[in-house]
Amino acid sequence: MSSGKKMWSAALLATAVLAVTAACGSGSGGGGQSADGKIKLRFSYWGSDARQKMTEEAIKKFEAKNPTIDVEGEFSDWASYYETLATKVAANDAPDVITIEIRGLREYADRGTLADLASKVNTADIDSKVLGTGAIDGKQFAIPTGVNAFSLMVNPGLVESSKAKLPDDTKWTWDDYVKLSSQITEGSGGKVTGTQLSWNPAYLQIYAAQKGEPFYNGNKLGMSPQTIKDWWAVMQNLIKTKGAPDAAKSSEIGATSIDQSLLGTNTGAMGMWWSNQLGAASKASGQELDLLRMPKVEGATTGGMFLQPAMFYSASSKTEHAAEAAKFIDFMINDPEAGAIILSDRGLPASSKVLAAVKDKLPDADKKTLEFIDKVKSELADPPPAPPKGSSAMEDILTRYSEEVMFGRMTPDDAVQKFITEANASIAG
Protein backbone atom coordinates (compact mmCIF):
# COMPACT_ATOMS: atom_id res chain seq x y z
CA MET A 1 0.00 0.00 0.00
CA SER A 2 2.15 2.80 -1.24
CA SER A 3 1.16 6.41 -1.00
CA GLY A 4 -0.82 6.59 -4.22
CA LYS A 5 -0.96 10.39 -4.20
CA LYS A 6 -1.32 10.75 -7.97
CA MET A 7 -3.68 7.79 -8.10
CA TRP A 8 -6.23 9.29 -5.75
CA SER A 9 -6.29 12.67 -7.44
CA ALA A 10 -7.00 11.03 -10.77
CA ALA A 11 -9.50 8.64 -9.26
CA LEU A 12 -11.54 11.44 -7.77
CA LEU A 13 -11.81 13.12 -11.15
CA ALA A 14 -12.94 9.87 -12.70
CA THR A 15 -15.39 8.88 -10.00
CA ALA A 16 -16.97 12.31 -10.01
CA VAL A 17 -18.61 11.48 -13.31
CA LEU A 18 -20.02 8.12 -12.24
CA ALA A 19 -23.48 9.36 -11.34
CA VAL A 20 -23.76 11.17 -14.67
CA THR A 21 -22.28 8.57 -16.98
CA ALA A 22 -23.38 5.28 -15.42
CA ALA A 23 -26.71 5.42 -17.18
CA CYS A 24 -24.95 5.95 -20.50
CA GLY A 25 -22.96 2.69 -20.44
CA SER A 26 -23.93 0.25 -23.12
CA GLY A 27 -22.59 -2.98 -21.63
CA SER A 28 -23.87 -5.03 -18.74
CA GLY A 29 -20.43 -5.38 -17.17
CA GLY A 30 -18.83 -8.57 -15.97
CA GLY A 31 -17.13 -11.33 -17.87
CA GLY A 32 -19.97 -13.10 -19.67
CA GLN A 33 -19.22 -16.35 -21.46
CA SER A 34 -16.12 -17.46 -23.35
CA ALA A 35 -16.13 -19.06 -26.80
CA ASP A 36 -15.86 -22.57 -25.37
CA GLY A 37 -19.00 -22.10 -23.30
CA LYS A 38 -17.23 -21.53 -20.01
CA ILE A 39 -18.30 -18.74 -17.68
CA LYS A 40 -15.75 -15.94 -17.76
CA LEU A 41 -15.07 -13.87 -14.65
CA ARG A 42 -13.04 -10.67 -14.73
CA PHE A 43 -10.95 -9.96 -11.63
CA SER A 44 -9.28 -6.58 -11.10
CA TYR A 45 -6.29 -6.08 -8.79
CA TRP A 46 -3.14 -4.00 -8.46
CA GLY A 47 0.42 -4.63 -7.34
CA SER A 48 3.91 -5.69 -8.26
CA ASP A 49 5.11 -8.19 -10.85
CA ALA A 50 5.56 -10.70 -8.02
CA ARG A 51 1.94 -10.26 -6.97
CA GLN A 52 0.76 -10.73 -10.53
CA LYS A 53 2.73 -13.95 -10.84
CA MET A 54 1.38 -15.48 -7.64
CA THR A 55 -2.17 -14.31 -8.40
CA GLU A 56 -2.10 -15.95 -11.82
CA GLU A 57 -0.90 -19.15 -10.15
CA ALA A 58 -3.82 -19.00 -7.69
CA ILE A 59 -6.24 -18.38 -10.57
CA LYS A 60 -4.97 -21.51 -12.36
CA LYS A 61 -5.54 -23.49 -9.18
CA PHE A 62 -9.13 -22.20 -8.97
CA GLU A 63 -9.79 -23.00 -12.61
CA ALA A 64 -8.47 -26.55 -12.14
CA LYS A 65 -10.97 -27.01 -9.31
CA ASN A 66 -13.74 -25.28 -11.25
CA PRO A 67 -13.32 -26.32 -14.91
CA THR A 68 -16.47 -24.51 -16.07
CA ILE A 69 -15.10 -21.10 -14.98
CA ASP A 70 -12.34 -19.02 -16.57
CA VAL A 71 -10.93 -16.11 -14.56
CA GLU A 72 -9.36 -13.24 -16.44
CA GLY A 73 -7.06 -11.14 -14.29
CA GLU A 74 -7.14 -7.40 -14.96
CA PHE A 75 -3.88 -6.27 -13.43
CA SER A 76 -2.42 -2.76 -13.18
CA ASP A 77 0.08 -0.86 -11.12
CA TRP A 78 -1.10 0.97 -8.02
CA ALA A 79 -0.90 4.46 -9.47
CA SER A 80 -3.41 3.80 -12.26
CA TYR A 81 -5.65 1.23 -10.61
CA TYR A 82 -8.53 3.36 -9.34
CA GLU A 83 -8.57 5.66 -12.33
CA THR A 84 -8.96 2.62 -14.59
CA LEU A 85 -11.56 1.05 -12.31
CA ALA A 86 -13.62 4.23 -12.11
CA THR A 87 -13.64 4.53 -15.87
CA LYS A 88 -14.88 0.94 -16.25
CA VAL A 89 -17.59 1.41 -13.63
CA ALA A 90 -18.74 4.64 -15.27
CA ALA A 91 -19.01 2.79 -18.59
CA ASN A 92 -21.12 0.06 -16.96
CA ASP A 93 -18.24 -2.36 -17.57
CA ALA A 94 -17.17 -3.21 -14.02
CA PRO A 95 -15.15 -6.38 -13.42
CA ASP A 96 -17.04 -9.23 -11.73
CA VAL A 97 -14.62 -9.34 -8.78
CA ILE A 98 -13.03 -6.11 -7.63
CA THR A 99 -10.09 -5.64 -5.29
CA ILE A 100 -10.55 -2.51 -3.20
CA GLU A 101 -9.03 -0.90 -0.13
CA ILE A 102 -10.75 0.69 2.82
CA ARG A 103 -10.30 4.28 1.61
CA GLY A 104 -12.33 3.60 -1.51
CA LEU A 105 -14.88 1.21 -0.04
CA ARG A 106 -17.60 3.66 0.96
CA GLU A 107 -17.34 5.62 -2.29
CA TYR A 108 -18.06 2.54 -4.39
CA ALA A 109 -20.57 0.99 -1.99
CA ASP A 110 -22.61 4.18 -1.73
CA ARG A 111 -22.86 4.38 -5.52
CA GLY A 112 -24.40 0.91 -5.70
CA THR A 113 -21.36 -0.53 -7.44
CA LEU A 114 -20.80 -3.41 -5.01
CA ALA A 115 -22.89 -6.48 -4.20
CA ASP A 116 -23.83 -7.57 -0.68
CA LEU A 117 -21.76 -10.71 -0.01
CA ALA A 118 -23.41 -11.62 3.29
CA SER A 119 -23.98 -15.41 3.39
CA LYS A 120 -22.44 -15.68 -0.11
CA VAL A 121 -18.88 -16.19 1.16
CA ASN A 122 -17.81 -18.27 4.17
CA THR A 123 -16.57 -15.81 6.79
CA ALA A 124 -16.75 -18.09 9.85
CA ASP A 125 -12.96 -18.07 10.32
CA ILE A 126 -12.51 -14.29 10.04
CA ASP A 127 -12.42 -12.20 13.20
CA SER A 128 -15.79 -10.43 13.45
CA LYS A 129 -14.21 -7.03 14.09
CA VAL A 130 -11.95 -7.35 11.06
CA LEU A 131 -14.86 -8.57 8.95
CA GLY A 132 -16.94 -5.61 10.10
CA THR A 133 -14.60 -3.18 8.35
CA GLY A 134 -16.01 -4.41 5.04
CA ALA A 135 -19.62 -3.76 6.08
CA ILE A 136 -21.55 -0.54 5.50
CA ASP A 137 -25.09 0.04 6.73
CA GLY A 138 -25.48 -3.62 7.61
CA LYS A 139 -24.39 -4.97 4.23
CA GLN A 140 -21.17 -6.95 3.74
CA PHE A 141 -19.83 -5.27 0.62
CA ALA A 142 -16.25 -6.49 1.00
CA ILE A 143 -14.31 -9.41 2.48
CA PRO A 144 -10.89 -8.65 3.99
CA THR A 145 -7.97 -10.50 2.46
CA GLY A 146 -5.65 -10.13 5.42
CA VAL A 147 -4.57 -7.77 8.19
CA ASN A 148 -1.63 -5.52 8.95
CA ALA A 149 -0.67 -2.64 11.24
CA PHE A 150 1.06 0.65 10.52
CA SER A 151 4.40 0.29 12.30
CA LEU A 152 7.97 1.50 12.53
CA MET A 153 10.51 -0.52 10.54
CA VAL A 154 14.14 -0.50 11.61
CA ASN A 155 17.49 -1.82 10.40
CA PRO A 156 19.18 -2.86 13.70
CA GLY A 157 22.55 -3.26 12.01
CA LEU A 158 22.61 0.36 10.81
CA VAL A 159 21.50 1.60 14.22
CA GLU A 160 24.29 -0.30 15.95
CA SER A 161 26.96 0.69 13.41
CA SER A 162 26.03 4.31 14.08
CA LYS A 163 26.80 3.70 17.77
CA ALA A 164 23.18 4.31 18.72
CA LYS A 165 20.95 1.97 20.71
CA LEU A 166 17.61 0.48 19.81
CA PRO A 167 14.84 1.75 22.09
CA ASP A 168 12.58 -0.08 24.47
CA ASP A 169 9.60 0.38 22.17
CA THR A 170 7.11 -0.15 25.00
CA LYS A 171 8.23 3.12 26.57
CA TRP A 172 9.71 5.44 23.97
CA THR A 173 8.30 8.86 23.10
CA TRP A 174 8.35 11.05 20.01
CA ASP A 175 11.17 13.06 21.57
CA ASP A 176 13.13 9.81 21.93
CA TYR A 177 12.43 9.04 18.27
CA VAL A 178 13.75 12.43 17.15
CA LYS A 179 16.82 12.06 19.36
CA LEU A 180 17.59 8.54 18.12
CA SER A 181 17.19 9.58 14.49
CA SER A 182 19.62 12.45 14.99
CA GLN A 183 22.12 10.18 16.77
CA ILE A 184 22.06 7.72 13.88
CA THR A 185 22.74 10.41 11.31
CA GLU A 186 25.55 11.94 13.39
CA GLY A 187 27.07 8.61 14.42
CA SER A 188 27.30 7.42 10.82
CA GLY A 189 28.99 10.60 9.68
CA GLY A 190 25.97 11.38 7.54
CA LYS A 191 26.29 8.17 5.52
CA VAL A 192 23.04 6.90 7.04
CA THR A 193 20.04 9.10 7.84
CA GLY A 194 18.06 8.25 10.95
CA THR A 195 14.63 8.08 9.38
CA GLN A 196 12.41 9.47 6.64
CA LEU A 197 9.20 11.43 6.90
CA SER A 198 5.78 9.93 6.25
CA TRP A 199 2.50 11.64 5.41
CA ASN A 200 0.40 8.48 5.57
CA PRO A 201 -2.91 9.35 7.29
CA ALA A 202 -2.51 6.20 9.41
CA TYR A 203 0.49 7.86 11.07
CA LEU A 204 -1.53 10.94 12.01
CA GLN A 205 -4.43 8.71 13.07
CA ILE A 206 -2.13 6.91 15.53
CA TYR A 207 -0.70 10.18 16.83
CA ALA A 208 -4.16 11.69 17.31
CA ALA A 209 -5.39 8.56 19.12
CA GLN A 210 -2.52 8.96 21.57
CA LYS A 211 -4.01 12.37 22.38
CA GLY A 212 -7.48 10.88 22.73
CA GLU A 213 -8.80 12.21 19.43
CA PRO A 214 -10.32 10.33 16.47
CA PHE A 215 -9.16 11.05 12.92
CA TYR A 216 -12.77 11.24 11.71
CA ASN A 217 -15.90 12.29 13.53
CA GLY A 218 -18.71 11.43 11.15
CA ASN A 219 -18.30 13.44 7.94
CA LYS A 220 -15.64 15.76 9.33
CA LEU A 221 -12.21 15.57 10.92
CA GLY A 222 -12.17 14.74 14.61
CA MET A 223 -8.70 16.08 15.38
CA SER A 224 -7.96 19.44 16.96
CA PRO A 225 -5.78 21.96 15.10
CA GLN A 226 -3.23 21.75 17.92
CA THR A 227 -2.80 18.00 17.50
CA ILE A 228 -2.07 18.40 13.79
CA LYS A 229 0.41 21.20 14.49
CA ASP A 230 2.11 19.10 17.18
CA TRP A 231 2.40 16.25 14.68
CA TRP A 232 4.02 18.59 12.16
CA ALA A 233 6.40 19.76 14.89
CA VAL A 234 7.77 16.21 15.21
CA MET A 235 8.71 16.28 11.53
CA GLN A 236 10.10 19.81 11.74
CA ASN A 237 12.33 18.70 14.62
CA LEU A 238 13.53 15.70 12.64
CA ILE A 239 14.61 17.96 9.78
CA LYS A 240 16.13 20.53 12.16
CA THR A 241 18.26 17.90 13.93
CA LYS A 242 19.16 16.14 10.66
CA GLY A 243 17.38 13.00 11.84
CA ALA A 244 15.51 13.11 8.51
CA PRO A 245 16.37 14.65 5.12
CA ASP A 246 15.46 18.25 4.35
CA ALA A 247 12.06 19.14 2.91
CA ALA A 248 13.10 18.81 -0.74
CA LYS A 249 14.71 15.39 -0.31
CA SER A 250 11.85 14.22 1.90
CA SER A 251 9.34 15.19 -0.76
CA GLU A 252 11.33 13.37 -3.42
CA ILE A 253 11.67 10.18 -1.36
CA GLY A 254 8.04 10.28 -0.29
CA ALA A 255 6.92 9.87 -3.90
CA THR A 256 8.86 6.60 -4.35
CA SER A 257 8.08 2.99 -3.50
CA ILE A 258 9.47 1.20 -0.47
CA ASP A 259 12.29 -0.42 -2.45
CA GLN A 260 13.57 3.08 -3.29
CA SER A 261 13.15 4.37 0.25
CA LEU A 262 16.06 5.19 2.55
CA LEU A 263 15.43 1.93 4.41
CA GLY A 264 15.19 -0.07 1.20
CA THR A 265 18.47 1.35 -0.14
CA ASN A 266 20.33 1.07 3.19
CA THR A 267 20.79 4.83 3.39
CA GLY A 268 18.32 5.18 6.27
CA ALA A 269 17.83 3.19 9.46
CA MET A 270 14.09 3.65 10.11
CA GLY A 271 10.78 4.42 8.44
CA MET A 272 7.03 3.92 8.82
CA TRP A 273 5.02 1.51 6.65
CA TRP A 274 2.32 -1.11 6.88
CA SER A 275 3.61 -4.30 8.49
CA ASN A 276 2.93 -6.45 5.43
CA GLN A 277 5.58 -4.40 3.59
CA LEU A 278 8.37 -5.76 5.78
CA GLY A 279 9.09 -8.50 3.26
CA ALA A 280 9.42 -6.04 0.37
CA ALA A 281 11.67 -3.74 2.42
CA SER A 282 13.83 -6.66 3.57
CA LYS A 283 14.19 -7.96 0.02
CA ALA A 284 15.13 -4.51 -1.32
CA SER A 285 17.70 -3.84 1.39
CA GLY A 286 19.07 -7.36 1.63
CA GLN A 287 19.25 -6.78 5.37
CA GLU A 288 17.56 -8.13 8.50
CA LEU A 289 14.83 -5.64 9.39
CA ASP A 290 12.55 -5.54 12.41
CA LEU A 291 9.23 -3.99 13.38
CA LEU A 292 8.80 -1.69 16.37
CA ARG A 293 5.85 -0.14 18.12
CA MET A 294 5.23 3.47 17.18
CA PRO A 295 6.56 6.03 19.70
CA LYS A 296 4.03 7.67 22.02
CA VAL A 297 3.06 11.14 23.10
CA GLU A 298 4.40 11.78 26.59
CA GLY A 299 1.84 10.50 29.11
CA ALA A 300 -0.35 8.76 26.51
CA THR A 301 -2.48 5.91 27.86
CA THR A 302 -2.79 4.21 24.47
CA GLY A 303 -0.34 3.50 21.67
CA GLY A 304 -2.98 4.27 19.05
CA MET A 305 -1.94 1.45 16.73
CA PHE A 306 -4.67 -0.62 15.08
CA LEU A 307 -5.26 -3.61 12.83
CA GLN A 308 -6.53 -2.87 9.35
CA PRO A 309 -7.28 -5.07 6.35
CA ALA A 310 -4.57 -4.78 3.73
CA MET A 311 -7.30 -4.85 1.08
CA PHE A 312 -10.67 -6.44 0.30
CA TYR A 313 -12.33 -8.56 -2.36
CA SER A 314 -15.74 -7.34 -3.52
CA ALA A 315 -18.16 -8.26 -6.29
CA SER A 316 -19.85 -6.02 -8.81
CA SER A 317 -23.56 -5.49 -8.23
CA LYS A 318 -23.96 -5.73 -12.02
CA THR A 319 -22.25 -9.09 -12.52
CA GLU A 320 -24.25 -11.69 -14.41
CA HIS A 321 -22.40 -14.42 -12.52
CA ALA A 322 -22.87 -13.54 -8.87
CA ALA A 323 -22.61 -17.12 -7.62
CA GLU A 324 -19.36 -17.74 -9.50
CA ALA A 325 -17.90 -14.42 -8.36
CA ALA A 326 -18.67 -15.32 -4.74
CA LYS A 327 -17.16 -18.77 -5.28
CA PHE A 328 -13.92 -17.24 -6.54
CA ILE A 329 -13.75 -14.83 -3.58
CA ASP A 330 -14.42 -17.73 -1.20
CA PHE A 331 -11.55 -19.65 -2.79
CA MET A 332 -9.13 -16.74 -2.49
CA ILE A 333 -10.07 -16.19 1.16
CA ASN A 334 -10.62 -19.71 2.49
CA ASP A 335 -8.76 -22.26 0.37
CA PRO A 336 -5.45 -23.34 1.99
CA GLU A 337 -3.98 -24.01 -1.46
CA ALA A 338 -4.66 -20.42 -2.48
CA GLY A 339 -3.23 -19.30 0.86
CA ALA A 340 -0.06 -21.32 0.27
CA ILE A 341 0.48 -19.41 -2.99
CA ILE A 342 -0.45 -15.91 -1.83
CA LEU A 343 0.96 -16.25 1.71
CA SER A 344 1.06 -12.77 3.31
CA ASP A 345 1.17 -10.74 0.09
CA ARG A 346 -2.29 -9.35 0.83
CA GLY A 347 -1.70 -9.13 4.57
CA LEU A 348 -1.53 -11.98 7.06
CA PRO A 349 -4.45 -14.18 5.96
CA ALA A 350 -7.76 -13.04 7.44
CA SER A 351 -8.95 -16.64 7.73
CA SER A 352 -7.57 -18.15 10.93
CA LYS A 353 -7.63 -21.62 9.34
CA VAL A 354 -5.65 -20.47 6.31
CA LEU A 355 -3.16 -18.63 8.53
CA ALA A 356 -2.64 -21.78 10.61
CA ALA A 357 -2.14 -23.81 7.44
CA VAL A 358 0.48 -21.51 5.90
CA LYS A 359 2.33 -19.91 8.80
CA ASP A 360 5.21 -22.39 8.65
CA LYS A 361 5.59 -21.65 4.93
CA LEU A 362 5.88 -17.89 5.37
CA PRO A 363 9.20 -16.23 4.44
CA ASP A 364 11.30 -15.22 7.43
CA ALA A 365 10.30 -11.55 7.17
CA ASP A 366 6.63 -12.47 7.19
CA LYS A 367 7.14 -14.75 10.17
CA LYS A 368 8.56 -11.70 11.93
CA THR A 369 5.46 -9.75 10.98
CA LEU A 370 3.23 -12.48 12.42
CA GLU A 371 5.27 -12.57 15.63
CA PHE A 372 5.06 -8.79 15.92
CA ILE A 373 1.30 -8.69 15.37
CA ASP A 374 0.81 -11.45 17.94
CA LYS A 375 3.02 -9.57 20.41
CA VAL A 376 1.18 -6.25 20.15
CA LYS A 377 -2.32 -7.58 19.42
CA SER A 378 -3.62 -6.94 22.94
CA GLU A 379 -2.52 -3.29 22.63
CA LEU A 380 -4.12 -2.64 19.24
CA ALA A 381 -7.32 -0.68 18.88
CA ASP A 382 -10.26 -2.26 17.08
CA PRO A 383 -10.06 -1.97 13.29
CA PRO A 384 -11.66 1.35 12.27
CA PRO A 385 -14.77 1.31 10.07
CA ALA A 386 -14.65 2.42 6.46
CA PRO A 387 -13.91 6.16 6.43
CA PRO A 388 -16.27 8.76 4.92
CA LYS A 389 -16.81 9.06 1.19
CA GLY A 390 -14.15 11.42 -0.15
CA SER A 391 -11.48 10.22 2.28
CA SER A 392 -9.60 8.72 -0.65
CA ALA A 393 -8.22 12.21 -1.26
CA MET A 394 -6.98 12.60 2.32
CA GLU A 395 -3.40 11.50 1.77
CA ASP A 396 -2.97 13.90 -1.11
CA ILE A 397 -4.44 16.80 0.88
CA LEU A 398 -2.42 15.95 3.98
CA THR A 399 0.81 15.63 2.00
CA ARG A 400 0.37 18.96 0.25
CA TYR A 401 -0.14 20.97 3.43
CA SER A 402 2.51 19.03 5.33
CA GLU A 403 5.05 19.84 2.65
CA GLU A 404 4.00 23.50 2.66
CA VAL A 405 4.89 23.57 6.36
CA MET A 406 8.16 21.64 5.94
CA PHE A 407 9.29 23.93 3.10
CA GLY A 408 8.40 26.96 5.21
CA ARG A 409 5.98 28.25 2.59
CA MET A 410 3.11 28.31 5.10
CA THR A 411 3.03 28.70 8.85
CA PRO A 412 1.55 25.78 10.81
CA ASP A 413 -1.31 28.06 11.91
CA ASP A 414 -2.24 28.97 8.33
CA ALA A 415 -1.70 25.47 6.99
CA VAL A 416 -3.79 23.74 9.63
CA GLN A 417 -6.82 25.91 8.97
CA LYS A 418 -6.58 25.42 5.21
CA PHE A 419 -6.01 21.68 5.63
CA ILE A 420 -9.05 21.26 7.88
CA THR A 421 -11.25 23.30 5.55
CA GLU A 422 -10.23 21.37 2.44
CA ALA A 423 -10.32 17.98 4.16
CA ASN A 424 -13.79 18.61 5.61
CA ALA A 425 -15.07 19.72 2.21
CA SER A 426 -13.76 16.49 0.70
CA ILE A 427 -15.59 14.26 3.19
CA ALA A 428 -18.74 16.33 3.68
CA GLY A 429 -20.76 13.77 1.71
Side-chain angles (χ1 to χ4, degrees), residues 98-325:
I98 301 168
T99 307
I100 202 163
E101 58 159 358
I102 199 165
R103 290 182 293 181
L105 178 55
R106 190 174 294 274
E107 294 184 21
Y108 281 90
D110 284 357
R111 289 187 169 92
T113 303
L114 308 179
D116 184 0
L117 293 171
S119 76
K120 307 287 178 58
V121 175
N122 178 16
T123 58
D125 300 314
I126 300 177
D127 179 276
S128 60
K129 291 179 179 178
V130 173
L131 180 64
T133 61
I136 295 176
D137 298 331
K139 294 184 178 181
Q140 192 71 48
F141 289 113
I143 310 297
T145 62
V147 295
N148 55 16
F150 198 73
S151 316
L152 192 89
M153 292 186 195
V154 61
N155 184 325
L158 291 183
V159 174
E160 292 167 12
S161 66
S162 301
K163 299 180 176 59
K165 291 184 179 180
L166 283 171
D168 176 350
D169 67 343
T170 65
K171 298 178 180 178
W172 70 327
T173 66
W174 292 106
D175 285 343
D176 295 331
Y177 171 59
V178 172
K179 184 177 180 181
L180 174 61
S181 299
S182 177
Q183 288 174 341
I184 292 169
T185 304
E186 183 178 357
S188 69
K191 295 179 181 178
V192 174
T193 305
T195 192
Q196 69 180 70
L197 306 187
S198 171
W199 310 123
N200 194 306
Y203 174 15
L204 179 53
Q205 182 171 340
I206 290 168
Y207 185 85
Q210 293 174 0
K211 291 200 165 199
E213 298 175 1
F215 195 102
Y216 295 109
N217 181 14
N219 282 356
K220 63 180 182 179
L221 295 180
M223 301 169 290
S224 66
Q226 189 60 52
T227 288
I228 300 168
K229 289 191 292 183
D230 290 346
W231 181 69
W232 280 333
V234 174
M235 267 66 78
Q236 288 176 306
N237 287 337
L238 282 168
I239 292 175
K240 182 179 179 181
T241 62
K242 300 188 185 304
D246 62 23
K249 185 67 174 177
S250 292
S251 178
E252 176 188 335
I253 297 169
T256 64
S257 60
I258 195 167
D259 59 338
Q260 297 172 293
S261 66
L262 296 184
L263 193 71
T265 57
N266 296 313
T267 54
M270 296 185 289
M272 297 173 188
W273 287 277
W274 292 99
S275 57
N276 71 315
Q277 293 180 279
L278 182 66
S282 299
K283 183 177 180 180
S285 68
Q287 304 291 315
E288 289 286 329
L289 306 181
D290 288 329
L291 292 168
L292 298 177
R293 294 170 175 87
M294 296 282 273
K296 293 180 183 175
V297 171
E298 188 77 45
T301 58
T302 177
M305 293 174 64
F306 56 93
L307 275 182
Q308 179 168 291
M311 59 191 78
F312 300 89
Y313 295 133
S314 60
S316 168
S317 60
K318 302 287 183 68
T319 179
E320 296 177 352
H321 304 293
E324 290 81 4

Side-chain angles (χ1 to χ4, degrees), residues 381-404:
D382 289 345
K389 187 165 61 176
S391 61
S392 52
M394 193 58 63
E395 187 167 355
D396 180 48
I397 298 170
L398 182 59
T399 298
R400 281 192 284 107
Y401 286 106
S402 297
E403 290 184 347
E404 290 296 298

Side-chain angles (χ1 to χ4, degrees), residues 317-355:
S317 60
K318 302 287 183 68
T319 179
E320 296 177 352
H321 304 293
E324 290 81 4
K327 192 170 190 177
F328 177 67
I329 293 172
D330 193 281
F331 170 81
M332 295 292 281
I333 295 292
N334 292 308
D335 194 296
E337 290 189 75
I341 295 168
I342 297 169
L343 296 173
S344 63
D345 180 70
R346 289 164 164 89
L348 292 169
S351 165
S352 58
K353 284 187 177 179
V354 172
L355 179 58

